[in-house]
Amino acid sequence: MKTKFLLLCGAILFTHLELMAWGQKGHDIVSEIATRHLKCKVHKNIRKTLNGYSILYWSNWLDNASHTEAYAYTKTWHYKNIDAGETYENAQLESKGDIVGAIKMQIETLSNKTISQEQKATALKMLVHLMGDLHQPMHMGRRADRGGNQYTLTYFNRKANLHGIWDTAILEDGHKWSHTEWADEIDHANKKMVKEICQGTIDDWARETHALAKRIYSETSQQENLSYDYVAKWTPVIENQLLKGGLRLAYILNKLF
Ligand SMILES: [Zn+2]
């Protein structure tokens, strides 16, 4: 009975890992850091747009929404896959759009002063989520293995895949912290660093994430049982990605609101 239950949990977990984003925790950390860097006026305007809620409240919303009929059109918006033989520039494009185009589209919508309050809220919720995904390296992974979803490996003696490991496993195994504790610990870049991180375009940031993805593929063995060393090596990298995501999201929102 117990074995059956564990197998079922494993199956559910594995299916869940086929999802499309940082887990809830990663998105919450990005939103929490962003919130801490919003100008006072921007903070107020955002609350007004979201009917009193914060961006944190909506950070993971799009992952659920993309599975509903109403938002099925956003299914491919969470990533941009680039195969081993392709470059960022010449990668085969998703016909229904990718993360880079989707982020640009939300920024454009939010820059338009004539949109309705509802359109504004939806674009904001999408932007908040997608800026998180933009910094999850496996969202710039290879098409051949569906962004690491089919890059199978062994992690702490369990069957796993590269995408899932980067969505949640390293994060959860790196520190047993709440999203606010994560933010407390990693959000301490000085002014000069913040400025450097926020330089560039959406494409520059996407290219940077893709370069990291390539490094991860080349430094992740499918033959070994990945465990403590892997977590120790990549946790600081994840911390840096979450910090960048949060700071860049705040930078964009401070301009738009
Ligand atoms: Zn997502």
Side-chain angles (χ1 to χ4, degrees), residues 21 39 45 52 76-77 84 107 109 111 114 126 130 149 161 180 183 195 212 234 239-240 246 248:
K39 291 175 190 158
N45 286 341
T76 61
W77 289 12
I107 292 175
T109 303
S111 310
T114 64
M126 287 180 175
L130 296 174
N149 271 301
N161 70 72
T180 48
K195 204 176 159 196
L212 175 57
W234 295 108
E239 291 170 358
N240 198 32
R248 288 168 178 171

Side-chain angles (χ1 to χ4, degrees), residues 20-21 27 63 78 129-130 133 139:
M20 314 169 281
H27 282 288
D63 269 344
H78 300 252
H129 179 85
L130 296 174
D133 280 351
H139 285 243

Side-chain angles (χ1 to χ4, degrees), residues 170 174 227-237:
I170 306 174
S227 65
Y228 298 102
D229 285 347
Y230 195 82
V231 175
K233 174 179 175 176
W234 295 108
T235 297
V237 176

Side-chain angles (χ1 to χ4, degrees), residues 41-75:
K41 176 194 81 166
V42 174
H43 196 73
K44 270 190 202 158
N45 286 341
I46 285 176
R47 286 261 184 195
K48 209 173 130 199
T49 305
L50 297 176
N51 268 331
Y53 291 104
S54 68
I55 55 170
L56 176 69
Y57 185 89
W58 295 103
S59 74
N60 202 41
W61 164 77
L62 194 61
D63 269 344
N64 296 331
S66 289
H67 288 279
T68 66
E69 217 177 300
Y71 292 97
Y73 65 93
T74 64
K75 244 181 194 163

